[in-house]
Amino acid sequence: RTLNGRLVHKRLHSHALGIAKPFFVYEPPDLTHHKPLPVLYLFRGHEREWVNLREDRSRRKSTAIEDLDRMIVSGLIPPLLVVMPGLNSSNNWIPSLGIDMVGRWQSKFRGLGSGQFWTYFTEELLPAIDRRYPATTAGPKLMAGFSLGGYTVSLLAAKLPGFFSHAAIYDGTLMWPEHRDPRFGRQKNNDRIWCRSPLFDAALGKPRNRKAMRTWNSTSMILHADAAMLHKLQKTKFWVASAARDGGFGNRDRAQAFVKMLKRHSIRTGFRNIIFDPAAEHTWHWTDRFLATFLLKATAHLK
């Protein structure tokens, strides 16, 4: 379907990664006339996922960007610049999680370079967007993530407290504090996903690098935040929701615990219910619906 705005595929040569890393940017209609301009960062893994109609079988007529474009033109949300970074290997098999990776991976997996993705994103891509689109420097910054992209959103919120006005997470694979999954006992590092899954060997090491596990645990950082950090975190509004059914051992429980922690710290949350919809699933169709709902609510005062 034809967009009213423009979808641009870009590359940034990264000194941190040692490679040119691709990303997508959606530019709203009449880009130069919008000052200040809100910017939205979208995370999952591969840069194509938010714009690919066939990313899974659940998308039938449109993608998140097509929906967002239509909402802008109809006046439901204000014009937004949207940035979709690539944070995985080129074939999308190895996630970086948006961290500075400490494990190993085979050379055949291209697109990872040195693996220093936190440095790439925070020290290179964020400033590059500000330079290329100066209207965004005075506008609010928002971010949203699906699944592991939800973890990346939580990490950015924790390590750059107050930098983003809104942080949205749909069915995010969030960490437990100290990687202690209370559903399986009180022992530290008993979280089967983060501590054992081979999916994270490249990012977090095999066996797990203890320092990395502490450094990149966003939930622990927020839980133990001091007064100065909390003051900054309270400038961000979190919009956290999950799918309805995951067997009780998935992302729903992580989302519930995360929101309870935020509320204990008097950090603002946007949704009353953790379950996004009684029929919501871990699919792109429901992620796109979540994103539209989040943007309608979070940008209502900006129109």
Side-chain angles (χ1 to χ4, degrees):
R1 196 175 75 184
T2 302
L3 293 172
N4 296 280
R6 190 168 75 121
L7 185 65
V8 186
H9 191 245
K10 294 178 175 286
R11 288 180 178 270
L12 177 65
H13 182 79
S14 167
H15 294 288
L17 294 174
I19 58 173
K21 193 62 181 170
F23 61 99
F24 275 107
V25 175
Y26 165 80
E27 299 174 349
D30 302 320
L31 174 65
T32 58
H33 296 106
H34 305 302
K35 296 181 181 181
L37 181 67
V39 57
L40 169 67
Y41 288 86
L42 297 179
F43 300 98
R44 169 69 186 276
H46 201 283
E47 66 274 7
R48 70 163 188 263
E49 293 184 85
W50 290 92
V51 301
N52 180 19
L53 184 63
R54 296 178 177 84
E55 193 61 35
D56 69 11
R57 294 182 179 181
S58 70
R59 278 178 171 154
R60 299 186 183 278
K61 295 182 179 180
S62 62
T63 65
I65 294 302
E66 290 170 317
D67 295 342
L68 184 149
D69 179 76
R70 185 177 64 254
M71 292 166 70
I72 290 173
V73 172
S74 63
L76 293 173
I77 62 174
L80 298 163
L81 186 82
V82 186
V83 182
M84 293 151 277
L87 299 179
N88 285 6
S89 60
S90 299
N91 64 3
N92 209 25
W93 286 15
I94 299 183
S96 77
L97 309 173
I99 73 172
D100 287 340
M101 301 167 72
V102 297
R104 297 180 179 179
W105 55 90
Q106 297 179 35
S107 58
K108 67 179 181 180
F109 293 109
R110 301 182 180 275
L112 295 172
S114 68
Q116 303 301 287
F117 277 88
W118 176 260
T119 304
Y120 158 69
F121 181 76
T122 60
E123 298 183 13
E124 297 178 334
L125 184 57
L126 283 177
I129 295 299
D130 285 346
R131 290 192 301 270
R132 175 64 182 84
Y133 302 98
T136 64
T137 59
K141 289 180 170 55
L142 304 86
M143 58 178 169
F146 167 43
S147 193
L148 286 179
Y151 160 76
T152 303
V153 166
S154 75
L155 181 66
L156 285 161
K159 293 184 78 67
L160 299 177
F163 183 79
F164 291 90
S165 302
H166 295 273
I169 297 170
Y170 177 65
D171 220 36
T173 310
L174 302 170
M175 291 182 173
W176 294 99
E178 286 77 46
H179 300 287
R180 181 189 286 119
D181 188 336
R183 301 168 301 183
F184 299 107
R186 298 176 58 85
Q187 183 180 1
K188 290 184 179 180
N189 301 317
N190 70 344
D191 186 336
R192 298 176 182 179
I193 291 180
W194 287 101
C195 298
R196 301 181 190 178
S197 173
L199 182 65
F200 305 134
D201 288 352
L204 294 167
K206 181 184 178 181
R208 293 293 186 258
N209 182 298
R210 293 184 180 182
K211 181 179 179 181
M213 294 290 279
R214 292 192 302 270
T215 299
W216 305 109
N217 190 326
S218 51
T219 312
S220 286
M221 282 185 271
I222 296 173
L223 178 64
H224 300 299
D226 60 20
M229 180 178 174
L230 277 180
H231 178 70
K232 294 178 180 178
L233 281 167
Q234 289 163 354
K235 297 178 181 179
T236 300
K237 191 168 187 176
F238 286 77
W239 304 78
V240 183
S242 76
R245 295 176 295 277
D246 58 11
F249 298 106
N251 296 330
R252 182 192 62 199
D253 296 346
R254 295 172 189 269
Q256 289 174 335
F258 189 73
V259 169
K260 286 181 180 178
M261 179 186 67
L262 295 177
K263 290 182 176 180
R264 285 198 300 269
H265 283 325
S266 299
I267 298 171
R268 296 174 298 155
T269 57
F271 291 123
R272 288 186 177 183
N273 299 318
I274 296 299
I275 295 176
F276 179 64
D277 184 278
E281 298 178 328
H282 190 87
T283 65
W284 277 108
H285 166 76
W286 284 103
T287 302
D288 296 346
R289 289 183 61 175
F290 168 85
L291 181 68
T293 302
F294 154 62
L295 290 175
L296 283 169
K297 293 178 179 292
T299 66
H301 66 290
L302 299 176
K303 291 187 292 181

